[in-house]
Amino acid sequence: MTEPVIVVGAGPVGLAAALALAAERVPAVVLEAERAGVRKEWRGSTLHPPTLALLDRIGAASDAVAHGVRVDRLQFRDLQLPDRATFSYGVLEGRTPFPFRVQYEQYKLLRLLRELAEASPDVDLRQEHRVTGLTGADEGAAAAVVTLADGTRLTAPYVVAADGAHSVLRKLAGIGFPGDTYPSQSLVAATPFPFETVVDDLGPVSYWSGPNGRLSLIRTPDVWRVAVSTTAGVTASADGTGGPHPELAAALDLLVGDRSWAGSPLQQHQLYRSHQRVADRFRAGRLLLAGDAAHLSSTTGGMGLNSGVHDAFDLAARLGPALRAGGDGDGDAEADAYASARRDAAVRIVQPATRTVRAGVDATGRDARLARLRDLAATAADPVAGTRHLSALSMLDAVEGVSR
Ligand SMILES: Cc1cc2nc3c(=O)[nH]c(=O)nc-3n(C[C@H](O)[C@H](O)[C@H](O)COP(=O)(O)OP(=O)(O)OC[C@H]3O[C@@H](n4cnc5c(N)ncnc54)[C@H](O)[C@@H]3O)c2cc1C
């Protein structure tokens, strides 16, 4: 019997990694610090076409497609200027089995992945198992040993650190996490207000620039999700009590043209900081980093969660043939190939793409906003350039190798 790989963290990336390993006939033990029960956290709500294709391999795409919002076009607009650019997903027909983007809240994806993990004979999901120690992160180590908060020690051929942005395992292995943090914070809130009835030709996903910064408007199955940038230092109450955040209110006033939106409840206020960071290495001995533990990017464009899921499948596709029963090695070369390919995708593709999208919508000067929108409109109108642009925004070029 093959020794299980240990996956630390039962977030979307850890669960996807365990299920993808199970699909490769490699068992996985998932150690999760928190209690069972999914917090109703939105966080990532976007699934791009290649992510849907990968999730389909473990039976997780059809539910997201059936119950999520299928996005047929992506709009770039401005709160004051009439110029706009629209990219139609129709141009991706024939290039991917899922030529569209789906909006499906992270907590629903997590619930689905957890159900699949619990049903899989090859995934052993252990809640309330916090990892506090690690050995085997040095070169040439023959195995990894993790220590749990209660002192229990578990050995595995590889340990996958999918323990999120503040990864304990990354720190224990002494891996640096350089990059930068955006000075402005992001505020996200949900509202049932029917923007589609007051904003002309509103698509399910639109990114707006404006005199005070960006606004994104994303339709999820239940509500509209609204995100704005806020000036550093300005705080909002976590639950939105005490009225809407002034910068959110100013953006919605400009969008709607009056205060009618305030008649609908604003829920789930979340204030958070975005980062652009990539770990110095994705491998240390028998430890492999994946997801937010390995890289962070601006949430504008929705690539963070997606690239973490891509890591999970790449890792399983490479290590599976070596580690499965009767496999052809100890996975050493494959682990190196994973670490190199996925760090390269983060540095070369995801970081520049997210930095560019964010810089575009963060611009506040009228001339810069106008020039950018005209440029985007010209790109959208050109069949070749438009397809290339939408392919990049859909991460079709960020999964090289993953789809093997
Ligand atoms: C407010 C907010 C909004 C976001 N919006 C978007 C968006 O619009 N689009 C997008 O693509 N992304 C978005 N993201 C990012 C997205 O949520 C992450 O990329 C995604 O959650 C990464 O998944 P993960 O599994 O790597 O990490 P996480 O989801 O953080 O999961 C890590 C898991 O590891 C567990 N854990 C941690 N330490 C230990 C330990 N020592 N032992 C055992 N378990 C441990 C944690 O309890 C957790 O369950 C957003 C993030 C935030 C915070």
Side-chain angles (χ1 to χ4, degrees):
M1 149 110 192
T2 312
E3 256 191 295
V5 166
I6 288 178
V7 177
V8 181
V13 175
L15 289 172
L19 288 161
L21 283 164
E24 295 283 345
R25 292 182 281 122
V26 175
V29 173
V30 183
L31 304 172
E32 165 57 45
E34 302 294 333
R35 272 205 320 270
V38 176
R39 280 196 301 266
K40 201 173 169 181
E41 256 192 335
W42 288 16
R43 300 180 67 176
S45 58
T46 297
L47 297 175
H48 289 298
T51 313
L52 289 166
L54 292 170
L55 290 173
D56 199 34
R57 293 186 192 169
I58 54 170
S62 55
D63 194 81
V65 173
H67 300 294
V69 171
R70 191 172 162 142
V71 178
D72 58 345
R73 66 206 146 119
L74 196 58
Q75 293 177 324
F76 292 90
R77 302 177 64 164
D78 191 273
L79 291 169
Q80 290 178 324
L81 305 169
D83 299 73
R84 66 180 70 167
T86 301
F87 291 86
S88 163
Y89 279 88
V91 300
L92 301 185
E93 289 281 352
R95 292 172 172 259
T96 160
F98 294 89
F100 48 85
R101 160 176 170 162
V102 166
Q103 298 304 141
Y104 187 65
E105 300 91 328
Q106 183 164 323
Y107 73 90
K108 291 184 182 167
L109 177 66
L110 208 46
R111 186 170 62 202
L112 176 64
L113 293 176
R114 185 170 293 163
E115 282 166 10
L116 290 169
E118 281 164 355
S120 168
D122 291 316
V123 179
D124 177 0
L125 172 57
R126 302 182 193 176
Q127 305 284 159
E128 295 182 85
H129 280 58
R130 181 178 295 278
V131 173
T132 54
L134 170 78
T135 60
D138 27 37
E139 212 175 319
V145 180
V146 295
T147 307
L148 301 176
D150 68 0
T152 309
R153 288 157 64 86
L154 299 170
T155 304
Y158 287 93
V159 171
V160 179
D163 53 343
H166 303 289
S167 175
V168 165
L169 290 175
R170 187 186 66 231
K171 290 172 193 158
L172 287 170
I175 300 175
F177 202 33
D180 40 80
T181 299
Y182 284 100
S184 69
Q185 300 186 67
S186 297
L187 175 68
V188 62
T191 171
F193 181 76
F195 291 106
E196 66 281 14
T197 63
V198 292
V199 180
D200 73 295
D201 186 35
L202 183 65
V205 175
S206 52
Y207 296 107
W208 301 68
S209 49
N212 306 313
R214 85 202 129 87
L215 164 80
S216 63
L217 210 54
I218 291 181
R219 183 71 223 182
T220 67
D222 306 326
V223 283
W224 282 100
R225 173 180 156 142
V226 190
V228 295
S229 47
T230 69
T231 316
V234 175
T235 55
S237 57
D239 58 0
T241 48
H245 189 290
E247 285 168 281
L248 179 62
L252 292 181
D253 284 351
L254 276 176
L255 176 75
V256 174
D258 58 39
R259 265 284 154 116
S260 53
W261 57 268
S264 300
L266 273 177
Q267 306 145 340
Q268 305 198 28
H269 275 69
Q270 255 184 314
L271 193 62
Y272 64 96
R273 283 206 176 277
S274 281
H275 311 261
Q276 297 284 161
R277 294 182 187 277
V278 180
D280 283 333
R281 295 173 286 151
F282 281 20
R283 179 181 184 191
R286 294 282 163 165
L287 179 73
L288 298 171
L289 305 188
D292 276 17
H295 46 73
L296 294 174
S297 55
S298 161
T299 51
T300 309
M303 293 192 176
L305 166 64
N306 286 268
S307 56
V309 172
H310 303 169
D311 293 344
F313 280 88
D314 187 277
L315 184 149
R318 291 183 198 274
L319 281 182
L323 297 189
R324 70 174 63 121
D328 49 18
D330 72 349
D332 186 49
E334 292 79 5
D336 271 348
Y338 161 78
S340 157
R342 292 309 301 161
R343 189 171 185 282
D344 185 56
V347 170
R348 201 170 46 79
I349 299 173
V350 179
Q351 292 279 310
T354 47
R355 278 185 196 278
T356 304
V357 174
R358 175 68 182 259
V361 284
D362 269 350
T364 53
R366 190 180 181 284
D367 290 349
R369 284 151 46 207
L370 186 62
R372 175 177 158 273
L373 279 178
R374 292 198 171 154
D375 199 32
L376 277 172
T379 303
D382 177 330
V384 174
T387 304
R388 198 183 310 126
H389 196 72
L390 189 62
S391 298
L393 293 176
S394 303
M395 304 188 80
L396 285 176
D397 55 353
V399 286
E400 244 173 88
V402 180
S403 44
R404 290 166 310 122

